[in-house]
Structure formats: C-alpha cells, structure tokens
Amino acid sequence: MNLEIFENGAWLPFVFAFLIGLSMLLYAILDGYDLGVGLLSKSVDSDERDRMIASIGPFWDANETWLVLGVGLLLVAFPPAHGIVLTSLYLPVTLMIVALVFRGVSFDFRKKVAPEAQHKWNLVFFWSSLCITLTQGYMVGRFMIGFQSGLIAELFSVFFGMLVVSGYALMGSCWLIMKAEGDLQKKAIKWARNSILLMTLGAVLSSAVAPFVDTRIYDRMFSFPEVTLLIAMPLISMILTLFMLFILKALPLEGDRLSWMPFAISISIFVLGFLGLVYSFYPYIIPGQLKIVDASAAPESLLVILIGTGIVLPFMIGYTTLAYWIFRGKAEDLSYD
C-alpha cells in the first residue's frame, strides 16, 4: 500500500505543502526582524538609525526571496488555492507590494538624497515597513478563518495584524540587542519589553474574538488528543516569553554575554506559533475550504517542479547561510561608498 502511494505520486502534494510552509516560516523569521527594525527606526536619532539600518543592510533584500519562493510554489503546485488566496486578498496584497517597492527605494534614497530631504525618506522607510507588517498580519488572519466575511472576521484579522506588528517589533528589538552596542542596545532591550506587552495584548484581543468566528481551528482545540498538543505549544511559548523577560531584565551583561539569547527565544516562539497554526488546520491548504490533495496540480507536473526546487533550494539556503556567516558580529557604521 505504501509503495502504491509512492508510485502514484500521492505524496507530492504534502511535500509541496511542507516546502511552502517552510518558505513562509523562514520569510517570517528573516524578513520579520528587518521589518521590525524598520518599525523601530522612527524613534531614534540619525546616527542610531544609520546603525540600525546597517545591521540589516547585507540581508534585507535576500530575506524577501523566501516570500517569492513560497508564493511561486503555491501558484504552480496548488493553482486553485493560489486563485482563492489572491482573489480574497487582492487589496492587501497590492498594498504590500507597493509598500515593498517604496521600502526598497527608501532604503537607499534616505542617504543619497540632499540632507534636507532625508527626513522624508526616513518616514517612507518607517511607514512602508508598518504597511507591509500590518497587511501581512491581516492576510494571515484572513487565511486562518478561511476568508470569511463579516465584522467579527474583520476584527479578528485586524487584531491578528496587531499581533504580527508587535511580534516583528520584538524580533527587530532582539536582533538589535544582538547586533548593537552601548545606548542603542539598551534602547533595544526596552523596546523588546514593550513589544512583549503589545504582543500579549494582540494575542488576547484576537483570542477573545476567535470563538465568535466559524473556524475549524477552535473545533480541534477542544477535541482529544489534538487538544494536548495545541495547548502544549502556547504553554511552552508563554514559558519562553517569561524566560525572555527574565533575560531582558539582566541584560546587558559584561562581555556582551547572552545578547544572542532573546533573538533565539523569539525565533522559537515564532516556530511554535507557526507549527500550532499548521497543525490546527491540516490537512487543508485553505482552512475549512480546500484540502491539500484536492488543490494540487497533476503528479507529473509536481515531480518536474520538485526537481527544479531541489536545485534552487540548496543555493538559497547556501547563500543565506554564507551571508549571515560573513556579516556576523556587531553592526558597523553605515556606508554607501
């Protein structure tokens, strides 16, 4: 029986569902912290802003390739699901793309234009980072509830957008704790504490609205044995959050010890949250609407695409790893020479 499943390609849709999930998770982690830095950039002076942006300079554009990979795989491996997603999220996707363009332009223009115009591009960098983050959080919220309509559904999506904004701000703060020194590092510690409070508020608000939304996620949360895993994940996340607060209270330490730990903990919280969401609506590719096996392309097409993905993916992992290895350590002064 297992051999028959392998031969007829029934395993391929699940491989692509895994690859799409992996791409989106890596995007949320890698682009999440640099969007978080953009969210925090408005609250500092020029020199500190340059140091913050220098900390993400070698990585930010490459981080976005994981989003391209995830959306591209969704298009070719699950065309019906891709059509539903983009049709339901046409406006927020458009806003996100426009904001991505403005963010990329402002990243360079903010230092290359005349001094009197730099403030405007700094604002563009901040507002575009905020727009990208909000739209992404809103879209995830809409996806979680199967693109339902109505006031409660919109409230859930907006509150989940707030949760993602605070989560990205936490990631950005923890990144700066690891990459910055002196006063900027101390400010990042304070930002991280505030972000945890805002993230908790976003989680409470979205959780308070969620029971009033018709979603399969909460059906599984109250059935056995699923409830054991779906409760364990948020419980572990809460413990990690409390541990992070303890670490933040102790930082900075002599010799910059443990400055990496808040960032590692924030990644762990993101991974746990992502795994909880995936587990809650499996085996659906669109929660409550479309299953993975029903939305997939033909096995022959998936096999060809898998070969191409197998060639591209190691290069993406390789250059990402190499970039982070080369530019490890503390951020240096920003230079466009």
Side-chain angles (χ1 to χ4, degrees):
M1 182 67 178
N2 292 335
L3 183 60
E4 180 182 348
I5 292 175
F6 184 81
E7 289 177 348
N8 63 22
W11 55 278
L12 285 167
F14 299 97
V15 171
F16 276 94
F18 169 78
L19 291 174
I20 292 170
L22 178 65
S23 300
M24 292 305 184
L25 175 60
L26 289 174
Y27 171 77
I29 293 172
L30 297 178
D31 209 36
Y33 78 75
D34 77 60
L35 285 168
V37 171
L39 295 173
L40 300 168
S41 64
K42 192 174 182 292
S43 56
V44 294
D45 58 32
S46 178
D47 291 338
E48 288 182 329
R49 185 180 298 108
D50 285 349
R51 181 61 61 89
M52 291 169 66
I53 294 178
S55 73
I56 64 174
F59 316 111
W60 72 274
D61 49 351
N63 292 340
E64 294 172 356
T65 58
W66 293 102
L67 178 63
V68 176
L69 177 64
V71 174
L73 289 178
L74 180 66
L75 170 62
V76 297
F78 302 100
H82 184 272
I84 293 174
V85 170
L86 288 191
T87 301
S88 303
L89 300 175
Y90 184 83
L91 180 57
V93 166
T94 302
L95 289 174
M96 183 188 71
I97 293 174
V98 172
L100 283 168
V101 172
F102 273 94
R103 187 172 189 262
V105 171
S106 64
F107 193 94
D108 286 333
F109 275 34
R110 56 175 297 277
K111 290 299 289 184
K112 293 185 177 180
V113 297
E116 59 270 17
Q118 290 180 2
H119 177 65
K120 296 178 181 178
W121 286 107
N122 287 331
L123 287 177
V124 171
F125 183 70
F126 164 76
W127 285 111
S128 59
S129 299
L130 179 60
C131 181
I132 294 167
T133 307
L134 271 175
T135 52
Q136 288 182 1
Y138 175 83
M139 287 188 288
V140 173
R142 294 282 293 148
F143 175 80
M144 286 173 58
I145 59 177
F147 307 114
Q148 297 170 44
S149 58
L151 178 60
I152 299 298
E154 290 296 326
L155 280 176
F156 175 82
S157 302
V158 170
F159 289 151
F160 201 86
M162 294 170 53
L163 174 62
V164 171
V165 170
S166 55
Y168 279 6
L170 176 63
M171 290 276 289
S173 303
C174 294
W175 172 260
L176 291 172
I177 293 171
M178 183 173 62
K179 300 292 286 186
E181 298 174 295
D183 291 339
L184 181 55
Q185 186 184 52
K186 293 177 181 178
K187 289 181 180 179
I189 294 171
K190 181 180 178 180
W191 293 333
R193 293 173 185 160
N194 294 336
S195 298
I196 290 174
L197 296 177
L198 291 174
M199 190 169 67
T200 302
L201 177 61
V204 169
L205 289 174
S206 57
S207 298
V209 174
F212 301 98
V213 181
D214 182 17
T215 172
R216 185 174 175 273
I217 295 173
Y218 289 88
D219 292 338
R220 297 194 71 175
M221 286 187 67
F222 296 102
S223 59
F224 188 85
E226 287 89 346
V227 65
T228 56
L229 183 60
L230 290 175
I231 288 180
M233 287 184 178
L235 182 61
I236 295 172
S237 297
M238 290 173 61
I239 294 172
L240 287 174
T241 302
L242 292 174
F243 182 59
M244 183 189 292
L245 285 171
F246 175 78
I247 294 294
L248 291 172
K249 188 175 181 180
L251 292 177
L253 297 174
E254 185 178 354
D256 206 39
R257 291 182 295 113
L258 300 183
S259 63
W260 56 271
M261 188 168 286
F263 188 64
I265 295 174
S266 65
I267 291 176
S268 301
I269 293 172
F270 262 70
V271 171
L272 284 170
F274 181 84
L275 291 177
L277 289 178
V278 170
Y279 180 77
S280 63
F281 57 68
Y282 176 84
Y284 287 87
I285 191 73
I286 303 292
Q289 292 191 37
L290 199 59
K291 290 186 177 181
I292 292 172
V293 293
D294 297 329
S296 63
E300 296 80 6
S301 301
L302 292 179
L303 187 59
V304 173
I305 300 166
L306 183 62
I307 294 172
T309 306
I311 296 172
V312 172
L313 192 59
F315 282 98
M316 292 182 63
I317 295 173
Y319 77 64
T320 300
T321 304
L322 181 62
Y324 280 88
W325 173 256
I326 292 174
F327 295 101
R328 66 190 184 278
K330 296 296 182 180
E332 299 179 355
D333 290 334
L334 184 65
S335 174
Y336 287 85
D337 297 331

